[in-house]
Amino acid sequence: MRRLRHHPAVRKLVASTSLSPADCVLPLFVCEGEGVTSPIASMPGQAQLSIDRLITEAEQAQELGLGGLILFGIPSTKDALGSDSTCEDGIIQRAVRAVKNAVPELLVMTDVCFCEYTDHGHCGPLTEIDGRTEVNNDATLELLGRQAVTHAKSGADVIAPSGMMDGMVGAIRAALDGANFSHLPILSYAAKYASAFYGPFRDAAESAPQFGDRRGYQMDFAANPDQALREVAFDLDEGADMIMVKPAMAYLDILAKVRAAFPGVPLAAYHVSGEYSMIKAAAASDWIDERSIALESLTAIRRAGADFILTYWAKDVARWLSA
Ligand code: PBG
């Protein structure tokens, strides 16, 4: 076996997993104001950005050849229904218009969900079921359709629902088709687990649930792994064009299972905030080498079956690989 490893050029020749900037989608957080770059303490190197600063990032993303951006809006006011998210002049709608206007060729995805916009921090309007407060599934579907259409009207290229409501892909597909956006693809966060790895993101997006948790809608990490396949099958049936598994590193088995069960379906993985911040923290203590660990992790996610990866290292990947 070592004959395949002796010469660096032979190693390169026989490698079968690649990683390139075009495989990476950069998540960014957009907030109100001007000239705002507000660092996120639990995510070193990441910040909430006002729209003008977001445009600078978008220009860099385009220059570096990234696969695209996924945008998350942080509104200045929140309410029980997350009204800012369905309004044509909301923070995310203005951000998308500005980015598409400044860098039209850059792919812009939008996260379609309510947790950043509701005052209770859950992913849709609430209701009581058997004495328990839950997100109202079907009331959320209607609002998701409206939210997705405002994103589409703003110029979003890919609609990415992340709320784990049953029927969300079908509802969004119907709403988009009804508004003359039948050409717009949906990237569904199909197998999204209720994960503590999202902790730093919730600081970044100010979206932590104000009570309880998300285990009534996001997947149970101890559930039978085939449940992920059922989630994916439902979403594809409802019209999803691309599928996501999230988080990534602790869920490579799920990623590989989905890859094997649905060959040819474009598959994404989200290397989430907690996965990023753990590596950042260890690297800041000089316990590990950030660049090596990040590239090894992202390559492993590709090897497990991801066609593309949502990663906070997207710009670094481009710089590291060209250095
Ligand atoms: C929900 C959403 C979350 C993430 C992406 N979309 C948070 C959640 O479900 O609580 C997490 C991403 C990350 O941790 O990097 N809008």
Side-chain angles (χ1 to χ4, degrees):
M1 294 310 292
R2 290 188 59 191
R3 284 192 288 271
L4 296 175
R5 297 171 197 148
H6 172 69
H7 197 301
V10 174
R11 288 201 299 270
K12 207 169 161 193
L13 183 72
V14 302
S16 64
T17 305
S18 63
L19 176 71
S20 85
D23 306 323
C24 296
V25 172
L26 177 66
L28 292 173
F29 304 97
V30 58
C31 63
E32 297 287 357
E34 236 193 279
V36 181
T37 298
S38 174
I40 300 155
S42 55
M43 296 180 72
Q46 306 300 313
Q48 296 180 349
L49 304 167
S50 54
I51 291 176
D52 54 317
R53 295 286 168 90
L54 174 68
I55 287 171
T56 309
E57 288 283 315
E59 287 164 351
Q60 288 174 9
Q62 178 64 18
E63 262 162 46
L64 292 168
L66 302 191
L69 301 181
I70 183 159
L71 301 181
F72 298 90
I74 305 156
S76 52
T77 55
K78 307 190 184 215
D79 60 25
L81 293 179
S83 306
D84 191 86
S85 73
T86 48
C87 123
E88 308 228 340
D89 252 342
I91 179 68
I92 189 75
Q93 290 81 358
R94 279 178 284 131
V96 172
R97 280 199 290 273
V99 171
K100 289 306 298 183
N101 195 34
V103 197
E105 329 77 62
L106 179 65
L107 190 81
V108 173
M109 307 183 172
T110 53
D111 184 89
V112 172
C113 194
F114 287 97
C115 54
E116 297 116 72
Y117 302 92
T118 51
D119 49 14
H120 45 72
H122 280 284
C123 302
L126 302 176
T127 186
E128 292 283 318
I129 302 174
D130 289 343
R132 250 198 298 270
T133 304
E134 299 266 13
V135 174
N136 184 332
N137 195 87
D138 294 3
T140 305
L141 295 185
E142 203 253 309
L143 292 171
L144 282 171
R146 277 207 253 158
Q147 187 184 135
V149 169
T150 65
H151 292 189
K153 284 185 178 161
S154 305
D157 300 302
V158 176
I159 299 294
S162 66
M164 290 301 283
M165 294 301 122
D166 287 336
M168 70 179 182
V169 173
I172 290 172
R173 184 73 271 157
L176 290 173
D177 291 355
N180 281 319
F181 292 106
S182 54
H183 59 286
L184 272 197
I186 295 176
L187 164 61
S188 178
Y189 287 66
K192 175 175 176 180
Y193 285 84
S195 171
F197 284 103
Y198 309 150
F201 172 96
R202 292 177 186 172
D203 289 344
E206 300 173 8
S207 65
Q210 297 304 298
F211 65 89
D213 53 41
R214 302 208 203 290
R215 292 163 68 186
Y217 38 105
Q218 298 179 349
M219 294 175 69
D220 177 2
F221 55 75
N224 187 311
D226 287 347
Q227 209 183 88
L229 303 183
R230 297 183 65 207
E231 286 282 0
V232 170
F234 278 126
D235 285 4
L236 290 173
D237 226 41
E238 290 173 28
D241 303 283
M242 301 179 254
I243 288 298
M244 195 193 305
V245 171
K246 178 185 170 199
M249 290 298 284
Y251 296 82
L252 294 182
D253 58 328
I254 304 295
L255 198 55
K257 255 180 183 287
V258 171
R259 174 72 301 156
F262 300 96
V265 172
L267 179 59
Y270 200 142
H271 194 231
V272 301
S273 57
E275 307 181 87
Y276 170 85
S277 297
M278 289 194 304
I279 295 172
K280 280 284 189 183
S285 296
D286 267 332
W287 296 337
I288 57 171
D289 178 59
E290 177 183 354
R291 177 184 184 277
S292 310
I293 297 261
L295 290 175
E296 182 177 338
S297 301
L298 296 168
T299 304
I301 295 166
R302 290 266 296 141
R303 192 184 62 230
D307 294 308
F308 61 97
I309 308 172
L310 284 68
T311 170
Y312 301 98
W313 273 296
K315 290 200 309 183
D316 307 83
V317 165
R319 289 175 186 135
W320 289 331
L321 294 179
S322 70

